[in-house]
Amino acid sequence: FQVYANLAFGAKEIPYYTYFNYYAPGENGCNSLIDCQTGERTDAYYWAKEINNKVHAFEDAYLSFDWVGSLCFDAGVQNQQFSLLETALSSHDRLTSIQSNADVLVGVFEDEDGKNSATDGFIVMNYSDPYYSNKGETKNVVLTFDNSTHALVYKNGKQYVAELTNGVLSLYLEAGEGVFVVPFVE
């Protein structure tokens, strides 16, 4: 959740500040990456490794774009965080529609030199808090892109090309899960 939210706001680096900290009994290394009593890696270490690998899979593509801003789609889930944003984009020429049964945060990126009109990139995340959501429950996110026949999608450390019908891309995302999408014309 935190990593994809940071990426949606154009982050290029995300430090982990609790790599190692003081021991508290019964807390599996006090939620740090390393248990200071045993020196063993904790569950948090493996969670961080998993998300790092997913992000590394698209970092070259992500870093070739410049962040423009972020869009918010409020599905009426009473997410007060979106109302706190003072500079959120209200629209984007390429992304003409967002539909979902979950709140969605979209980071908007541009690359002037994109081939096959791949001049826009989008971090799209289900902005539902994983702590309060049902494990494994996915939400449908439907994006409509103007001037796009395909989209390169990076999800869970893998990439695929989706063929779009009338510019429509459907994604199923768990709470806090995100993808990087680059629409283009083939």
Side-chain angles (χ1 to χ4, degrees):
F1 182 89
Q2 292 174 349
V3 169
Y4 282 110
N6 278 279
L7 293 173
F9 285 99
K12 296 197 187 271
E13 296 178 6
I14 302 171
Y16 294 95
Y17 59 89
T18 54
Y19 184 77
F20 185 88
N21 82 31
Y22 295 105
Y23 184 74
E27 292 190 18
N28 188 14
C30 199
N31 295 321
S32 63
L33 300 179
I34 304 294
D35 183 322
C36 72
Q37 292 290 313
T38 66
E40 298 293 319
R41 298 171 180 157
T42 66
D43 291 343
Y45 172 89
Y46 294 101
W47 297 331
K49 182 178 179 179
E50 180 182 352
I51 190 63
N52 284 345
N53 288 338
K54 290 177 182 179
V55 172
H56 283 309
F58 66 87
E59 72 183 331
D60 287 341
Y62 175 84
L63 292 172
S64 69
F65 288 82
D66 295 317
W67 182 71
V68 175
S70 299
L71 289 165
C72 304
F73 175 81
D74 186 347
V77 189
Q78 297 182 343
N79 180 346
Q80 297 177 1
Q81 292 177 351
F82 287 166
S83 66
L84 298 174
L85 295 175
E86 295 179 8
T87 59
L89 300 174
S90 58
S91 65
H92 188 270
D93 291 342
R94 188 72 172 271
L95 179 58
T96 59
S97 172
I98 303 172
Q99 299 172 3
S100 181
N101 52 354
D103 289 341
V104 178
L105 178 62
V106 179
V108 179
F109 299 81
E110 291 181 351
D111 175 18
E112 294 177 10
D113 302 325
K115 296 177 183 171
N116 296 335
S117 78
T119 55
D120 302 293
F122 302 90
I123 287 284
V124 181
M125 75 170 289
N126 175 342
Y127 203 75
S128 303
D129 188 332
Y131 184 80
Y132 296 106
S133 300
N134 295 329
K135 183 81 173 135
E137 178 184 356
T138 58
K139 299 294 185 177
N140 190 27
V141 178
V142 179
L143 307 170
T144 305
F145 296 105
D146 189 32
N147 189 30
S148 304
T149 59
H150 294 77
L152 179 59
V153 180
Y154 295 89
K155 182 178 181 182
N156 291 328
K158 296 179 173 55
Q159 72 176 23
Y160 66 92
V161 175
E163 188 171 343
L164 308 181
T165 303
N166 297 321
V168 175
L169 174 66
S170 290
L171 302 165
Y172 294 92
L173 301 173
E174 290 186 30
E177 184 178 24
V179 296
F180 187 59
V181 177
V182 181
F184 65 96
V185 175
E186 188 168 77

